[in-house]
Amino acid sequence: MSVKMKLENVSKIFGPKPKTAIPLVEQGKSKEDILAETGNTVGVYNASIDINEGELFVIMGLSGSGKSTLIRCLNLLNKPTTGSIVVDGEDVVQYKGEALKEYRQKKIAMVFQHFGLFSHRTVLGNVEYGLEIRGVSAEERQEIARQNLESVGLKGWEDKYPDELSGGMQQRVGLARALANDPDILLMDEPFSALDPLIRREMQLELLDLQERLQKTIVFITHDINEAFKIGDRVAVMKDGKVVQTGTPEEILEEPANDYISEFIKDIDRSKIIQAENIMIRPNALVSLKDGLKVAIQEMESNGLSSVYVTDRKRQLQGIVTIDDAIQGVKEKNSLEDVMIKDVATVKKEDYLEEIIPKAVESTYPIAVVGESNRLEGIILRVHVLSSLVAEDIDE
Amino acid sequence: MSGFPDISIPLGNIADFVVNFLDKNLEPVFDFIFWMTSTTITTFDDILNFLPWWLLLVFIFALGYFFQNATSGLLYAFLIFLVGSFGLWEELMITVAIVLTAVIISLIIGIPIGIWMAMNRASSVVIRPILDAMQTMPSFVYLIPVIFFFPLGNVPAVFATIIYAVPPVIRLTELGIRNVDQEVVESAESFGSSRMQILTKVQLPQAVPTIMAGVNQTTMMALAMVVIASMVGAGGLGEQVLVAINRIDIALGFEAGISIVFLAIIIDRITSGIGNRFQRDKGDQ
Ligand SMILES: Nc1ncnc2c1ncn2[C@@H]1O[C@H](COP(=O)(O)OP(=O)(O)OP(=O)(O)O)[C@@H](O)[C@H]1O
Ligand SMILES: [Mg+2]
């Protein structure tokens, strides 16, 4: 995995004499003190992040923590006060004039929180815009714009005006407009915040879909930790202009770097973040269909289990047998296949806790986690389902 | 009681000097402006007089029909017909030619200044108070400087009208551009647009409804100057009002006066109709 954007010590200070504020931040003074003393506002201080090619990188933080300031440094809507941003081997902070235009036209595009659409242009005219600026012929750019509109599900809306569309649809236009330029990097500043929750969830899934297809490098901003952990490959947490932790959602959940992050993740809905594979365990015992009942009883007794999963030779899940049924079966001279329970609750590795919980409540046995072609990957003990909802017990 | 001490600051002399200086040294410039303006007015007047009167009525109807509805179109055509029936047709044409010329020059001057003020904070800070002064000054005052530079007639009238009428279009152009949603401008910037592209492809089109409101106000103010401008020799309906006042000719005064009112109604409705049309094209409904 190669690094697409390398941010090193990026700071952005707003105000009359930005550089004078830098030493003060280094001394550890607070934003408020620096503002009072110098009239400068610290937007971002010393952010160093590597963003990998093709990953969906989320920047998360409370309002005013500097998320927008940082993402706007990436396409130089804000020029960093200090630091470098290396994209494909070049420090883009040095770009001016034509080089800057070229960078914005070809490499990087942005989706805005309130969509930023041109209300005087049709949907098609909006999506064409980036190509029009580059001087692409009308015929070609319309063709590309139509394709992009189709790929976000807006075929047939080309000749409408943005304000004739719902919020969700408008943001799709914003997305299509950004994608029409075929940028390597897509910046999204709270793109779904203005949408209602249902539409929002839909858009999140579509973004993940899109990412699967296009493999862009996406920098996504949100103040919603659930959203961050749901869609982010990696997440950076910001506070008061500083990046306080960077890692995968699991890493951050398991080892919050400080109290601030712990506080932040406290109210996260873990059932939407934790997947089956995070809490499943390797079964202590398994029996194969041809092993028969005696082996099954022996396995259960030696491991102190009251039930055991049955697979075939390819480890495909067949069912589960309980100790009581097994003993009864031996008495009545039945086979393993006769006494095992075939209708067992299963989940997939990537299923979220919220889907697992109802099954755990209904079932009296551990839940089987299956992968490709019904292969048994692991089991989830019912007690782990509940304990994983409580933050401290995650590292099971 | 003591009178004002014997101090004299010769501001009047200075003004006199400046005007004389400009008049002497910039004579070719003023000659050129005079020639351009009077040609424009005469051309409009000639065209309007060349067209058969009924064609003009049809044209007025068409404008009303297009920007409002058929009833309005009929009403406007009828009002103009009334003016003709007062025997003021030629005066009406001259007035229209003068107002049209003044408005066109106001827009040519005003819109770029408005754009400049929107782009440049310093220019805005300097120009704003000037515009305020221009609007609060009694409109008669504008007659004074222009008659120094131009012989009496339609040309000084046009320039006095411009000074009085240009502020709204400047103000509203600036306002329209400044009020374009910042995020929209930034989104254009984020695609690598040049400043010119942002202006022509985003800011100006977004500002059109506001600018049209400015055009409407400027036009109405130009019309309001018609009578006053006739004091420096402008012909047309304003001149008739002036004549009527001098002669205490109530009939003429009423007819010429009401004709100006008719013209004002029609121009107001049509220009604001154009503004609404732009708004509707944006899909605001
Ligand atoms: N143009 C600017 N001039 C001065 N200060 C600014 C400017 N833009 C942002 N700031 C300041 O920088 C800090 C970070 O703001 P920023 O907009 O990046 O926060 P954010 O994390 O995006 O918050 P939100 O979730 O509300 O969008 C704030 O204190 C803000 O007041
Ligand atoms: Mg923000």
Side-chain angles (χ1 to χ4, degrees), chain A residues 292-302 305-308 320-341:
Chain A
L293 277 174
K294 297 235 165 84
V295 177
I297 295 170
Q298 201 184 336
E299 281 291 321
M300 283 187 263
E301 280 178 342
S302 61
L305 301 172
S306 60
S307 63
V308 67
I320 191 168
V321 62
T322 64
I323 187 82
D324 295 343
D325 287 350
I327 292 169
Q328 188 76 17
V330 172
K331 281 184 194 154
E332 294 172 6
K333 299 209 166 26
N334 282 330
S335 71
L336 175 54
E337 195 163 4
D338 292 332
V339 299
M340 75 179 182
I341 303 158

PDB file of all heavy atoms in Angstrom, chain A residues 292-302 305-308 320-341:
ATOM      1  N   GLY A 292     -19.086 -39.622  14.241  1.00  0.00           N
ATOM      2  CA  GLY A 292     -20.106 -40.352  14.983  1.00  0.00           C
ATOM      3  C   GLY A 292     -20.337 -39.794  16.379  1.00  0.00           C
ATOM      4  O   GLY A 292     -19.629 -38.905  16.850  1.00  0.00           O
ATOM      5  N   LEU A 293     -21.342 -40.326  17.037  1.00  0.00           N
ATOM      6  CA  LEU A 293     -21.821 -39.805  18.315  1.00  0.00           C
ATOM      7  C   LEU A 293     -20.817 -39.996  19.446  1.00  0.00           C
ATOM      8  O   LEU A 293     -20.646 -39.126  20.300  1.00  0.00           O
ATOM      9  CB  LEU A 293     -23.135 -40.493  18.695  1.00  0.00           C
ATOM     10  CG  LEU A 293     -24.385 -39.890  18.053  1.00  0.00           C
ATOM     11  CD1 LEU A 293     -25.596 -40.741  18.377  1.00  0.00           C
ATOM     12  CD2 LEU A 293     -24.577 -38.460  18.534  1.00  0.00           C
ATOM     13  N   LYS A 294     -20.149 -41.134  19.456  1.00  0.00           N
ATOM     14  CA  LYS A 294     -19.235 -41.423  20.564  1.00  0.00           C
ATOM     15  C   LYS A 294     -18.136 -40.377  20.650  1.00  0.00           C
ATOM     16  O   LYS A 294     -17.822 -39.853  21.717  1.00  0.00           O
ATOM     17  CB  LYS A 294     -18.618 -42.824  20.385  1.00  0.00           C
ATOM     18  CG  LYS A 294     -19.654 -43.930  20.429  1.00  0.00           C
ATOM     19  CD  LYS A 294     -19.275 -44.967  21.490  1.00  0.00           C
ATOM     20  CE  LYS A 294     -20.448 -45.872  21.816  1.00  0.00           C
ATOM     21  NZ  LYS A 294     -20.604 -47.009  20.889  1.00  0.00           N
ATOM     22  N   VAL A 295     -17.560 -40.066  19.469  1.00  0.00           N
ATOM     23  CA  VAL A 295     -16.501 -39.051  19.433  1.00  0.00           C
ATOM     24  C   VAL A 295     -17.045 -37.714  19.907  1.00  0.00           C
ATOM     25  O   VAL A 295     -16.394 -36.983  20.657  1.00  0.00           O
ATOM     26  CB  VAL A 295     -15.926 -38.921  18.004  1.00  0.00           C
ATOM     27  CG1 VAL A 295     -14.873 -37.819  17.972  1.00  0.00           C
ATOM     28  CG2 VAL A 295     -15.349 -40.234  17.533  1.00  0.00           C
ATOM     29  N   ALA A 296     -18.273 -37.444  19.469  1.00  0.00           N
ATOM     30  CA  ALA A 296     -18.876 -36.166  19.848  1.00  0.00           C
ATOM     31  C   ALA A 296     -18.997 -36.068  21.360  1.00  0.00           C
ATOM     32  O   ALA A 296     -18.646 -35.050  21.969  1.00  0.00           O
ATOM     33  CB  ALA A 296     -20.245 -36.014  19.185  1.00  0.00           C
ATOM     34  N   ILE A 297     -19.483 -37.129  22.004  1.00  0.00           N
ATOM     35  CA  ILE A 297     -19.644 -37.127  23.462  1.00  0.00           C
ATOM     36  C   ILE A 297     -18.292 -36.959  24.142  1.00  0.00           C
ATOM     37  O   ILE A 297     -18.124 -36.144  25.059  1.00  0.00           O
ATOM     38  CB  ILE A 297     -20.325 -38.437  23.939  1.00  0.00           C
ATOM     39  CG1 ILE A 297     -21.751 -38.480  23.388  1.00  0.00           C
ATOM     40  CG2 ILE A 297     -20.331 -38.539  25.458  1.00  0.00           C
ATOM     41  CD1 ILE A 297     -22.438 -39.813  23.570  1.00  0.00           C
ATOM     42  N   GLN A 298     -17.300 -37.668  23.610  1.00  0.00           N
ATOM     43  CA  GLN A 298     -15.957 -37.594  24.180  1.00  0.00           C
ATOM     44  C   GLN A 298     -15.409 -36.172  24.098  1.00  0.00           C
ATOM     45  O   GLN A 298     -14.857 -35.640  25.056  1.00  0.00           O
ATOM     46  CB  GLN A 298     -15.068 -38.553  23.383  1.00  0.00           C
ATOM     47  CG  GLN A 298     -13.820 -38.961  24.126  1.00  0.00           C
ATOM     48  CD  GLN A 298     -12.956 -39.833  23.218  1.00  0.00           C
ATOM     49  OE1 GLN A 298     -13.464 -40.469  22.283  1.00  0.00           O
ATOM     50  NE2 GLN A 298     -11.679 -39.883  23.487  1.00  0.00           N
ATOM     51  N   GLU A 299     -15.567 -35.555  22.926  1.00  0.00           N
ATOM     52  CA  GLU A 299     -15.098 -34.177  22.728  1.00  0.00           C
ATOM     53  C   GLU A 299     -15.746 -33.224  23.730  1.00  0.00           C
ATOM     54  O   GLU A 299     -15.092 -32.366  24.313  1.00  0.00           O
ATOM     55  CB  GLU A 299     -15.439 -33.691  21.308  1.00  0.00           C
ATOM     56  CG  GLU A 299     -14.498 -34.195  20.225  1.00  0.00           C
ATOM     57  CD  GLU A 299     -13.103 -33.578  20.327  1.00  0.00           C
ATOM     58  OE1 GLU A 299     -13.033 -32.369  20.630  1.00  0.00           O
ATOM     59  OE2 GLU A 299     -12.106 -34.299  20.142  1.00  0.00           O
ATOM     60  N   MET A 300     -17.055 -33.402  23.900  1.00  0.00           N
ATOM     61  CA  MET A 300     -17.774 -32.500  24.801  1.00  0.00           C
ATOM     62  C   MET A 300     -17.327 -32.707  26.229  1.00  0.00           C
ATOM     63  O   MET A 300     -17.095 -31.738  26.959  1.00  0.00           O
ATOM     64  CB  MET A 300     -19.285 -32.700  24.674  1.00  0.00           C
ATOM     65  CG  MET A 300     -19.849 -32.052  23.416  1.00  0.00           C
ATOM     66  SD  MET A 300     -21.639 -32.092  23.340  1.00  0.00           S
ATOM     67  CE  MET A 300     -21.913 -33.521  22.328  1.00  0.00           C
ATOM     68  N   GLU A 301     -17.170 -33.952  26.595  1.00  0.00           N
ATOM     69  CA  GLU A 301     -16.780 -34.222  27.982  1.00  0.00           C
ATOM     70  C   GLU A 301     -15.387 -33.710  28.275  1.00  0.00           C
ATOM     71  O   GLU A 301     -15.158 -33.037  29.282  1.00  0.00           O
ATOM     72  CB  GLU A 301     -16.868 -35.727  28.267  1.00  0.00           C
ATOM     73  CG  GLU A 301     -18.297 -36.123  28.539  1.00  0.00           C
ATOM     74  CD  GLU A 301     -18.458 -37.624  28.780  1.00  0.00           C
ATOM     75  OE1 GLU A 301     -17.530 -38.380  28.406  1.00  0.00           O
ATOM     76  OE2 GLU A 301     -19.504 -38.010  29.315  1.00  0.00           O
ATOM     77  N   SER A 302     -14.451 -33.962  27.335  1.00  0.00           N
ATOM     78  CA  SER A 302     -13.079 -33.542  27.632  1.00  0.00           C
ATOM     79  C   SER A 302     -12.929 -32.022  27.599  1.00  0.00           C
ATOM     80  O   SER A 302     -12.010 -31.465  28.187  1.00  0.00           O
ATOM     81  CB  SER A 302     -12.094 -34.212  26.667  1.00  0.00           C
ATOM     82  OG  SER A 302     -12.393 -33.822  25.352  1.00  0.00           O
ATOM     83  N   LEU A 305     -18.005 -29.094  27.482  1.00  0.00           N
ATOM     84  CA  LEU A 305     -19.012 -28.372  26.712  1.00  0.00           C
ATOM     85  C   LEU A 305     -20.351 -29.086  26.780  1.00  0.00           C
ATOM     86  O   LEU A 305     -20.409 -30.288  26.997  1.00  0.00           O
ATOM     87  CB  LEU A 305     -18.592 -28.287  25.244  1.00  0.00           C
ATOM     88  CG  LEU A 305     -17.258 -27.598  24.953  1.00  0.00           C
ATOM     89  CD1 LEU A 305     -16.900 -27.765  23.489  1.00  0.00           C
ATOM     90  CD2 LEU A 305     -17.325 -26.134  25.345  1.00  0.00           C
ATOM     91  N   SER A 306     -21.424 -28.332  26.577  1.00  0.00           N
ATOM     92  CA  SER A 306     -22.737 -28.963  26.560  1.00  0.00           C
ATOM     93  C   SER A 306     -23.266 -29.101  25.136  1.00  0.00           C
ATOM     94  O   SER A 306     -24.316 -29.671  24.917  1.00  0.00           O
ATOM     95  CB  SER A 306     -23.728 -28.158  27.400  1.00  0.00           C
ATOM     96  OG  SER A 306     -23.824 -26.867  26.851  1.00  0.00           O
ATOM     97  N   SER A 307     -22.521 -28.573  24.200  1.00  0.00           N
ATOM     98  CA  SER A 307     -22.908 -28.784  22.806  1.00  0.00           C
ATOM     99  C   SER A 307     -21.666 -28.628  21.929  1.00  0.00           C
ATOM    100  O   SER A 307     -20.675 -28.020  22.340  1.00  0.00           O
ATOM    101  CB  SER A 307     -23.984 -27.783  22.379  1.00  0.00           C
ATOM    102  OG  SER A 307     -23.444 -26.477  22.461  1.00  0.00           O
ATOM    103  N   VAL A 308     -21.730 -29.151  20.722  1.00  0.00           N
ATOM    104  CA  VAL A 308     -20.577 -29.038  19.830  1.00  0.00           C
ATOM    105  C   VAL A 308     -21.071 -28.944  18.383  1.00  0.00           C
ATOM    106  O   VAL A 308     -22.089 -29.535  18.021  1.00  0.00           O
ATOM    107  CB  VAL A 308     -19.605 -30.226  20.024  1.00  0.00           C
ATOM    108  CG1 VAL A 308     -20.232 -31.547  19.565  1.00  0.00           C
ATOM    109  CG2 VAL A 308     -18.293 -29.971  19.290  1.00  0.00           C
ATOM    110  N   ILE A 320     -25.552 -28.701  14.947  1.00  0.00           N
ATOM    111  CA  ILE A 320     -24.977 -28.708  16.286  1.00  0.00           C
ATOM    112  C   ILE A 320     -25.618 -29.856  17.061  1.00  0.00           C
ATOM    113  O   ILE A 320     -26.783 -30.220  16.820  1.00  0.00           O
ATOM    114  CB  ILE A 320     -25.224 -27.353  16.985  1.00  0.00           C
ATOM    115  CG1 ILE A 320     -24.396 -27.254  18.280  1.00  0.00           C
ATOM    116  CG2 ILE A 320     -26.708 -27.155  17.294  1.00  0.00           C
ATOM    117  CD1 ILE A 320     -24.381 -25.848  18.858  1.00  0.00           C
ATOM    118  N   VAL A 321     -24.845 -30.453  17.937  1.00  0.00           N
ATOM    119  CA  VAL A 321     -25.427 -31.537  18.739  1.00  0.00           C
ATOM    120  C   VAL A 321     -25.190 -31.236  20.219  1.00  0.00           C
ATOM    121  O   VAL A 321     -24.121 -30.761  20.592  1.00  0.00           O
ATOM    122  CB  VAL A 321     -24.842 -32.914  18.330  1.00  0.00           C
ATOM    123  CG1 VAL A 321     -23.341 -32.969  18.567  1.00  0.00           C
ATOM    124  CG2 VAL A 321     -25.559 -34.053  19.049  1.00  0.00           C
ATOM    125  N   THR A 322     -26.216 -31.500  21.044  1.00  0.00           N
ATOM    126  CA  THR A 322     -26.070 -31.251  22.475  1.00  0.00           C
ATOM    127  C   THR A 322     -25.687 -32.556  23.169  1.00  0.00           C
ATOM    128  O   THR A 322     -25.904 -33.653  22.630  1.00  0.00           O
ATOM    129  CB  THR A 322     -27.384 -30.751  23.091  1.00  0.00           C
ATOM    130  OG1 THR A 322     -28.355 -31.789  22.962  1.00  0.00           O
ATOM    131  CG2 THR A 322     -27.877 -29.502  22.399  1.00  0.00           C
ATOM    132  N   ILE A 323     -25.145 -32.428  24.362  1.00  0.00           N
ATOM    133  CA  ILE A 323     -24.701 -33.621  25.094  1.00  0.00           C
ATOM    134  C   ILE A 323     -25.881 -34.535  25.417  1.00  0.00           C
ATOM    135  O   ILE A 323     -25.798 -35.750  25.267  1.00  0.00           O
ATOM    136  CB  ILE A 323     -23.908 -33.223  26.357  1.00  0.00           C
ATOM    137  CG1 ILE A 323     -23.280 -34.451  27.048  1.00  0.00           C
ATOM    138  CG2 ILE A 323     -24.758 -32.466  27.360  1.00  0.00           C
ATOM    139  CD1 ILE A 323     -21.992 -34.887  26.432  1.00  0.00           C
ATOM    140  N   ASP A 324     -27.001 -33.934  25.785  1.00  0.00           N
ATOM    141  CA  ASP A 324     -28.180 -34.734  26.124  1.00  0.00           C
ATOM    142  C   ASP A 324     -28.663 -35.546  24.932  1.00  0.00           C
ATOM    143  O   ASP A 324     -28.901 -36.746  25.036  1.00  0.00           O
ATOM    144  CB  ASP A 324     -29.319 -33.833  26.604  1.00  0.00           C
ATOM    145  CG  ASP A 324     -28.948 -33.136  27.911  1.00  0.00           C
ATOM    146  OD1 ASP A 324     -27.986 -33.611  28.571  1.00  0.00           O
ATOM    147  OD2 ASP A 324     -29.590 -32.128  28.238  1.00  0.00           O
ATOM    148  N   ASP A 325     -28.795 -34.864  23.782  1.00  0.00           N
ATOM    149  CA  ASP A 325     -29.247 -35.551  22.576  1.00  0.00           C
ATOM    150  C   ASP A 325     -28.270 -36.652  22.180  1.00  0.00           C
ATOM    151  O   ASP A 325     -28.670 -37.718  21.704  1.00  0.00           O
ATOM    152  CB  ASP A 325     -29.379 -34.566  21.410  1.00  0.00           C
ATOM    153  CG  ASP A 325     -30.588 -33.655  21.592  1.00  0.00           C
ATOM    154  OD1 ASP A 325     -31.398 -33.933  22.501  1.00  0.00           O
ATOM    155  OD2 ASP A 325     -30.703 -32.672  20.827  1.00  0.00           O
ATOM    156  N   ALA A 326     -26.994 -36.354  22.358  1.00  0.00           N
ATOM    157  CA  ALA A 326     -25.980 -37.325  21.958  1.00  0.00           C
ATOM    158  C   ALA A 326     -26.096 -38.595  22.803  1.00  0.00           C
ATOM    159  O   ALA A 326     -26.086 -39.713  22.266  1.00  0.00           O
ATOM    160  CB  ALA A 326     -24.587 -36.720  22.100  1.00  0.00           C
ATOM    161  N   ILE A 327     -26.250 -38.435  24.112  1.00  0.00           N
ATOM    162  CA  ILE A 327     -26.336 -39.612  24.989  1.00  0.00           C
ATOM    163  C   ILE A 327     -27.598 -40.408  24.688  1.00  0.00           C
ATOM    164  O   ILE A 327     -27.565 -41.630  24.537  1.00  0.00           O
ATOM    165  CB  ILE A 327     -26.289 -39.176  26.467  1.00  0.00           C
ATOM    166  CG1 ILE A 327     -24.879 -38.620  26.767  1.00  0.00           C
ATOM    167  CG2 ILE A 327     -26.615 -40.324  27.409  1.00  0.00           C
ATOM    168  CD1 ILE A 327     -24.756 -37.909  28.093  1.00  0.00           C
ATOM    169  N   GLN A 328     -28.689 -39.660  24.528  1.00  0.00           N
ATOM    170  CA  GLN A 328     -29.951 -40.282  24.155  1.00  0.00           C
ATOM    171  C   GLN A 328     -29.796 -41.068  22.848  1.00  0.00           C
ATOM    172  O   GLN A 328     -30.252 -42.193  22.709  1.00  0.00           O
ATOM    173  CB  GLN A 328     -31.010 -39.175  23.970  1.00  0.00           C
ATOM    174  CG  GLN A 328     -32.419 -39.670  23.777  1.00  0.00           C
ATOM    175  CD  GLN A 328     -33.015 -40.142  25.094  1.00  0.00           C
ATOM    176  OE1 GLN A 328     -32.503 -39.822  26.177  1.00  0.00           O
ATOM    177  NE2 GLN A 328     -34.042 -40.964  25.007  1.00  0.00           N
ATOM    178  N   GLY A 329     -29.098 -40.432  21.879  1.00  0.00           N
ATOM    179  CA  GLY A 329     -28.906 -41.033  20.564  1.00  0.00           C
ATOM    180  C   GLY A 329     -28.129 -42.333  20.654  1.00  0.00           C
ATOM    181  O   GLY A 329     -28.437 -43.309  19.952  1.00  0.00           O
ATOM    182  N   VAL A 330     -27.107 -42.340  21.488  1.00  0.00           N
ATOM    183  CA  VAL A 330     -26.315 -43.563  21.631  1.00  0.00           C
ATOM    184  C   VAL A 330     -27.199 -44.684  22.163  1.00  0.00           C
ATOM    185  O   VAL A 330     -27.182 -45.806  21.662  1.00  0.00           O
ATOM    186  CB  VAL A 330     -25.119 -43.332  22.572  1.00  0.00           C
ATOM    187  CG1 VAL A 330     -24.413 -44.652  22.889  1.00  0.00           C
ATOM    188  CG2 VAL A 330     -24.135 -42.357  21.930  1.00  0.00           C
ATOM    189  N   LYS A 331     -28.022 -44.352  23.167  1.00  0.00           N
ATOM    190  CA  LYS A 331     -28.921 -45.355  23.736  1.00  0.00           C
ATOM    191  C   LYS A 331     -29.845 -45.915  22.672  1.00  0.00           C
ATOM    192  O   LYS A 331     -30.093 -47.105  22.597  1.00  0.00           O
ATOM    193  CB  LYS A 331     -29.771 -44.726  24.855  1.00  0.00           C
ATOM    194  CG  LYS A 331     -29.021 -44.574  26.171  1.00  0.00           C
ATOM    195  CD  LYS A 331     -29.977 -44.049  27.235  1.00  0.00           C
ATOM    196  CE  LYS A 331     -29.217 -43.549  28.463  1.00  0.00           C
ATOM    197  NZ  LYS A 331     -29.981 -42.547  29.188  1.00  0.00           N
ATOM    198  N   GLU A 332     -30.386 -45.004  21.848  1.00  0.00           N
ATOM    199  CA  GLU A 332     -31.378 -45.444  20.864  1.00  0.00           C
ATOM    200  C   GLU A 332     -30.746 -45.873  19.551  1.00  0.00           C
ATOM    201  O   GLU A 332     -31.436 -46.092  18.554  1.00  0.00           O
ATOM    202  CB  GLU A 332     -32.395 -44.316  20.621  1.00  0.00           C
ATOM    203  CG  GLU A 332     -33.230 -44.034  21.874  1.00  0.00           C
ATOM    204  CD  GLU A 332     -34.109 -42.796  21.713  1.00  0.00           C
ATOM    205  OE1 GLU A 332     -34.154 -42.235  20.583  1.00  0.00           O
ATOM    206  OE2 GLU A 332     -34.729 -42.393  22.711  1.00  0.00           O
ATOM    207  N   LYS A 333     -29.436 -45.928  19.555  1.00  0.00           N
ATOM    208  CA  LYS A 333     -28.686 -46.376  18.376  1.00  0.00           C
ATOM    209  C   LYS A 333     -28.969 -45.516  17.132  1.00  0.00           C
ATOM    210  O   LYS A 333     -29.111 -45.997  16.019  1.00  0.00           O
ATOM    211  CB  LYS A 333     -28.983 -47.858  18.075  1.00  0.00           C
ATOM    212  CG  LYS A 333     -28.595 -48.803  19.190  1.00  0.00           C
ATOM    213  CD  LYS A 333     -28.254 -50.152  18.605  1.00  0.00           C
ATOM    214  CE  LYS A 333     -27.536 -51.098  19.527  1.00  0.00           C
ATOM    215  NZ  LYS A 333     -27.720 -50.930  20.963  1.00  0.00           N
ATOM    216  N   ASN A 334     -29.101 -44.255  17.366  1.00  0.00           N
ATOM    217  CA  ASN A 334     -29.252 -43.333  16.232  1.00  0.00           C
ATOM    218  C   ASN A 334     -27.874 -42.825  15.796  1.00  0.00           C
ATOM    219  O   ASN A 334     -26.912 -42.887  16.556  1.00  0.00           O
ATOM    220  CB  ASN A 334     -30.100 -42.128  16.630  1.00  0.00           C
ATOM    221  CG  ASN A 334     -31.575 -42.481  16.648  1.00  0.00           C
ATOM    222  OD1 ASN A 334     -32.019 -43.346  15.889  1.00  0.00           O
ATOM    223  ND2 ASN A 334     -32.315 -41.829  17.534  1.00  0.00           N
ATOM    224  N   SER A 335     -27.822 -42.273  14.566  1.00  0.00           N
ATOM    225  CA  SER A 335     -26.544 -41.728  14.087  1.00  0.00           C
ATOM    226  C   SER A 335     -26.444 -40.254  14.507  1.00  0.00           C
ATOM    227  O   SER A 335     -27.439 -39.637  14.893  1.00  0.00           O
ATOM    228  CB  SER A 335     -26.440 -41.827  12.570  1.00  0.00           C
ATOM    229  OG  SER A 335     -27.326 -40.893  11.973  1.00  0.00           O
ATOM    230  N   LEU A 336     -25.238 -39.721  14.377  1.00  0.00           N
ATOM    231  CA  LEU A 336     -25.004 -38.307  14.688  1.00  0.00           C
ATOM    232  C   LEU A 336     -25.929 -37.423  13.857  1.00  0.00           C
ATOM    233  O   LEU A 336     -26.533 -36.468  14.335  1.00  0.00           O
ATOM    234  CB  LEU A 336     -23.536 -37.973  14.426  1.00  0.00           C
ATOM    235  CG  LEU A 336     -23.102 -36.511  14.567  1.00  0.00           C
ATOM    236  CD1 LEU A 336     -23.479 -35.954  15.922  1.00  0.00           C
ATOM    237  CD2 LEU A 336     -21.605 -36.391  14.344  1.00  0.00           C
ATOM    238  N   GLU A 337     -26.035 -37.779  12.573  1.00  0.00           N
ATOM    239  CA  GLU A 337     -26.860 -36.978  11.679  1.00  0.00           C
ATOM    240  C   GLU A 337     -28.323 -36.952  12.119  1.00  0.00           C
ATOM    241  O   GLU A 337     -29.014 -35.948  11.946  1.00  0.00           O
ATOM    242  CB  GLU A 337     -26.754 -37.533  10.253  1.00  0.00           C
ATOM    243  CG  GLU A 337     -27.284 -36.551   9.225  1.00  0.00           C
ATOM    244  CD  GLU A 337     -26.826 -36.879   7.817  1.00  0.00           C
ATOM    245  OE1 GLU A 337     -26.150 -37.916   7.628  1.00  0.00           O
ATOM    246  OE2 GLU A 337     -27.148 -36.088   6.917  1.00  0.00           O
ATOM    247  N   ASP A 338     -28.796 -38.047  12.733  1.00  0.00           N
ATOM    248  CA  ASP A 338     -30.190 -38.112  13.170  1.00  0.00           C
ATOM    249  C   ASP A 338     -30.471 -37.162  14.323  1.00  0.00           C
ATOM    250  O   ASP A 338     -31.531 -36.538  14.375  1.00  0.00           O
ATOM    251  CB  ASP A 338     -30.549 -39.539  13.633  1.00  0.00           C
ATOM    252  CG  ASP A 338     -30.543 -40.504  12.461  1.00  0.00           C
ATOM    253  OD1 ASP A 338     -30.799 -40.017  11.334  1.00  0.00           O
ATOM    254  OD2 ASP A 338     -30.260 -41.695  12.670  1.00  0.00           O
ATOM    255  N   VAL A 339     -29.531 -37.066  15.252  1.00  0.00           N
ATOM    256  CA  VAL A 339     -29.842 -36.319  16.473  1.00  0.00           C
ATOM    257  C   VAL A 339     -29.406 -34.861  16.434  1.00  0.00           C
ATOM    258  O   VAL A 339     -29.827 -34.060  17.264  1.00  0.00           O
ATOM    259  CB  VAL A 339     -29.225 -36.982  17.728  1.00  0.00           C
ATOM    260  CG1 VAL A 339     -29.780 -38.383  17.912  1.00  0.00           C
ATOM    261  CG2 VAL A 339     -27.703 -36.999  17.635  1.00  0.00           C
ATOM    262  N   MET A 340     -28.533 -34.497  15.508  1.00  0.00           N
ATOM    263  CA  MET A 340     -28.049 -33.111  15.542  1.00  0.00           C
ATOM    264  C   MET A 340     -29.127 -32.131  15.078  1.00  0.00           C
ATOM    265  O   MET A 340     -30.029 -32.469  14.326  1.00  0.00           O
ATOM    266  CB  MET A 340     -26.787 -32.951  14.699  1.00  0.00           C
ATOM    267  CG  MET A 340     -27.052 -32.948  13.219  1.00  0.00           C
ATOM    268  SD  MET A 340     -25.511 -32.727  12.338  1.00  0.00           S
ATOM    269  CE  MET A 340     -26.119 -32.689  10.665  1.00  0.00           C
ATOM    270  N   ILE A 341     -29.004 -30.916  15.567  1.00  0.00           N
ATOM    271  CA  ILE A 341     -29.944 -29.860  15.191  1.00  0.00           C
ATOM    272  C   ILE A 341     -29.390 -29.164  13.956  1.00  0.00           C
ATOM    273  O   ILE A 341     -28.282 -28.623  13.969  1.00  0.00           O
ATOM    274  CB  ILE A 341     -30.105 -28.852  16.344  1.00  0.00           C
ATOM    275  CG1 ILE A 341     -30.554 -29.590  17.608  1.00  0.00           C
ATOM    276  CG2 ILE A 341     -31.059 -27.743  15.965  1.00  0.00           C
ATOM    277  CD1 ILE A 341     -30.234 -28.837  18.860  1.00  0.00           C
TER     278      ILE A 341
END
